[in-house]
């Protein structure tokens, strides 16, 4: 195969640092320092602890006010509520630490800038809703890998979303279900003390109201069981998996869902037999899972909306003008939009990687240049 002619040498050549050694700080588009260093890891942890504390206090305040000064708060659900406070602290803490890194911070800012851009909204008013639906909701990008994995991921996603939408407001005392008559099957659902809907417990609506968590559990068990089976059978998954990171989340989801279904089974078929033990077991599994979320694989649920912001940034930068598509400096094939490549270069400079010039080459030419460098500087030394 004939390689495309080399028409230009990189300026500066790939591998040449843009800044002298020992200089640290934030860089502008021209590679010069533009501000003070972003801070040490200790500073990031301090800010994260403050953010976590603030979010936790706000959640406690919301629980008190939303439950009408604890009038609608169920003390039996106190362990769940405490776990959600720890969950809020953990998410805020880790998210703050995450966006303190140069790459994540730039992605975070670009995403919000694109989100609040009036010009972007005028040019593509349906872009954000479409990306939320396709990228965040239905996650179509997973379908390109495997239709089965996409279907299982959807089961877990919607099952967890349904369970959270029911469990959290009930735990915080925001939702209440009270008997409308005191003797009959009529119930009222109230939010923050205001009546939303009245329904018959024996009607289809009533069945859905009282068995929503059971439906969510069935969805989660089906999806998590598929992923657990795959991690036991697929060689590619087995090779790189870690027990605490890859298997524990699946086991936790299945335990929470199964123990929740057993509570319903005990109520209907065993007349409450073993209910207290199952309730404690279910509570322990839920509390453990909620506390685990910020520090394990489940944290990608919190990170995913930021990725939607970056996708919006890429989409809107393409719409700003096709003439801004950057081409490879060696073979002149299109790479990506100039704003996106410049954003990547700035991130690499923030990280002081020293080879941001490589972003101006396509993946194929990068491999060719690396191969040529190996032949010129390493291989020729062997006889």
């Amino acid at each position: 195969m004939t390689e495309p002619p080399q028409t230009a040498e990189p300026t500066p050549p790939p591998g040449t640092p843009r800044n002298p050694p020992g200089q640290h700080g934030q860089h502008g588009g021209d590679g010069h320092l533009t501000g003070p260093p972003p801070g040490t890891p200790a500073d990031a942890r301090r800010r994260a602890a403050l953010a976590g504390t603030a979010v936790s206090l706000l959640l406690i305040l919301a629980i008190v006010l939303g439950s009408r000064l604890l009038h609608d708060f169920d003390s039996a659900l106190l362990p769940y509520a405490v776990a959600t406070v720890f969950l809020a602290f953990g998410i805020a803490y880790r998210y703050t630490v995450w966006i303190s890194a140069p790459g994540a911070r730039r992605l975070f800012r670009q995403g919000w800038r694109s989100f609040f851009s009036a010009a972007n909204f005028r040019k593509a008013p349906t872009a954000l809703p479409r990306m939320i639906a396709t990228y965040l909701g239905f996650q179509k990008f997973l379908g390109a890998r495997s239709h089965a994995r996409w279907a299982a991921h959807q089961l877990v996603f919607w099952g967890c979303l349904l369970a959270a939408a029911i469990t959290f407001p009930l735990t915080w005392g925001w939702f209440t279900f009270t008997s409308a008559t005191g003797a009959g099957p009529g119930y009222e659902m109230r939010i923050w003390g205001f009546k939303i809907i009245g329904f018959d417990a024996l009607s289809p609506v009533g069945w859905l109201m009282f068995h929503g968590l059971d439906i969510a559990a069935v969805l989660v068990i089906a999806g998590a069981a598929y992923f657990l089976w795959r991690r036991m059978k697929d060689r590619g998954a087995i090779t790189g998996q870690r027990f605490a990171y890859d298997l524990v989340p699946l086991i936790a989801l299945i335990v929470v869902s199964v123990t929740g279904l057993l509570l319903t089974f005990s109520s209907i078929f065993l007349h409450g037999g073993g209910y207290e033990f199952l309730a404690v077991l279910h509570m322990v599994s839920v509390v453990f899972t909620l506390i685990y979320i910020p520090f394990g694989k489940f944290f990608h649920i919190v990170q995913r909306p930021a990725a939607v912001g970056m996708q919006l940034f890429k989409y809107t930068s393409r719409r700003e003008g096709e003439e801004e598509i950057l081409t490879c400096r060696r073979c002149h094939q299109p790479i990506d939009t100039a704003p996106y490549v410049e954003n990547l270069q700035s991130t690499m400079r923030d990280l002081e990687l020293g080879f941001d010039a490589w972003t101006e080459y396509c993946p194929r030419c990068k491999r060719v240049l690396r191969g040529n460098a190996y032949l010129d500087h390493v291989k020729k030394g062997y006889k």
Side-chain angles (χ1 to χ4, degrees), residues 14 107 132-133 135 159 177 256 302 314 371 376:
L107 180 148
I132 292 176
Y135 192 80
F177 293 91
V256 169
V302 184
K314 291 179 65 176
D376 292 340

Side-chain angles (χ1 to χ4, degrees), residues 90-106:
I91 288 178
Y93 181 92
R94 189 174 176 190
Y95 200 90
T96 304
V97 171
W98 176 57
I99 62 174
S100 297
R105 183 171 61 250
R106 191 174 297 277

Side-chain angles (χ1 to χ4, degrees), residues 26-286:
Q26 295 178 336
H27 304 260
D30 57 357
H32 296 292
L33 297 176
T34 59
T40 64
D43 293 333
R45 290 192 294 269
R46 192 177 300 110
R47 289 194 300 269
L50 291 174
T53 302
V55 171
S56 299
L57 292 176
L58 287 175
L59 177 58
I60 294 174
L61 180 62
I63 292 174
V64 173
L65 296 179
S67 60
R68 297 191 300 166
L69 302 181
L70 302 181
H71 179 270
D72 295 330
F73 186 82
D74 187 350
S75 59
L77 302 179
L78 179 62
Y80 296 97
V82 172
T84 60
V85 173
F86 276 99
L87 170 67
F89 176 89
I91 288 178
Y93 181 92
R94 189 174 176 190
Y95 200 90
T96 304
V97 171
W98 176 57
I99 62 174
S100 297
R105 183 171 61 250
R106 191 174 297 277
L107 180 148
F108 183 80
R109 290 174 177 173
Q110 291 287 11
W112 281 110
R113 188 177 293 117
S114 300
F115 177 79
F116 286 111
S117 173
N120 289 343
F121 180 77
R122 288 194 299 269
K123 293 177 182 178
T126 62
L128 182 61
R130 261 189 299 117
M131 289 181 182
I132 292 176
T134 60
Y135 192 80
L136 189 61
F138 295 100
Q139 301 141 7
K140 287 189 174 181
F141 63 95
L142 291 173
R145 305 176 189 175
S146 167
H147 292 298
R149 290 172 63 185
W150 173 82
H153 204 281
Q154 284 288 285
L155 290 173
V156 174
F157 174 76
W158 290 108
C160 291
L161 194 64
L162 176 61
I166 297 174
T167 302
F168 286 1
L170 283 174
T171 299
W172 297 334
W174 293 2
F175 284 6
T176 57
F177 293 91
T178 57
S179 175
T181 61
Y187 276 84
E188 292 179 352
M189 183 181 76
R190 295 177 176 270
I191 299 179
W192 301 316
F194 297 99
K195 178 181 176 181
I196 301 300
I197 186 176
F199 59 91
D200 192 328
L202 303 179
S203 67
V205 174
W207 189 92
L208 291 174
M209 287 286 184
F210 290 117
H211 291 277
L213 289 176
D214 295 329
I215 297 173
V218 172
L219 296 177
V220 170
I221 289 174
Y226 169 81
F227 285 122
L228 196 60
W229 171 85
R230 180 178 173 273
R231 291 201 168 274
M232 296 295 183
K233 298 294 184 181
D234 187 89
R235 290 186 177 181
I238 293 173
T239 301
Q241 74 184 6
R242 292 169 288 171
F243 178 79
Y245 188 78
D246 295 300
L247 296 180
V248 167
L250 297 174
I251 295 172
L253 287 177
I254 292 176
V255 171
V256 169
S257 302
V258 170
T259 54
L261 288 176
L262 287 177
L263 288 173
T264 302
F265 181 83
S266 173
S267 299
I268 297 177
F269 298 103
L270 301 181
H271 306 290
Y275 191 92
E276 292 183 0
F277 170 76
L278 291 174
V280 172
L281 183 61
H282 180 68
M283 180 189 67
V284 170
S285 63
V286 171

Side-chain angles (χ1 to χ4, degrees), residues 336-356:
D336 211 316
T337 61
Y340 185 75
V341 174
E342 290 170 2
N343 179 74
L344 178 59
Q345 288 177 335
S346 299
T347 298
M348 296 176 73
R349 293 167 191 159
D350 286 345
L351 294 172
E352 297 184 343
L353 296 179
F355 47 87
D356 51 276

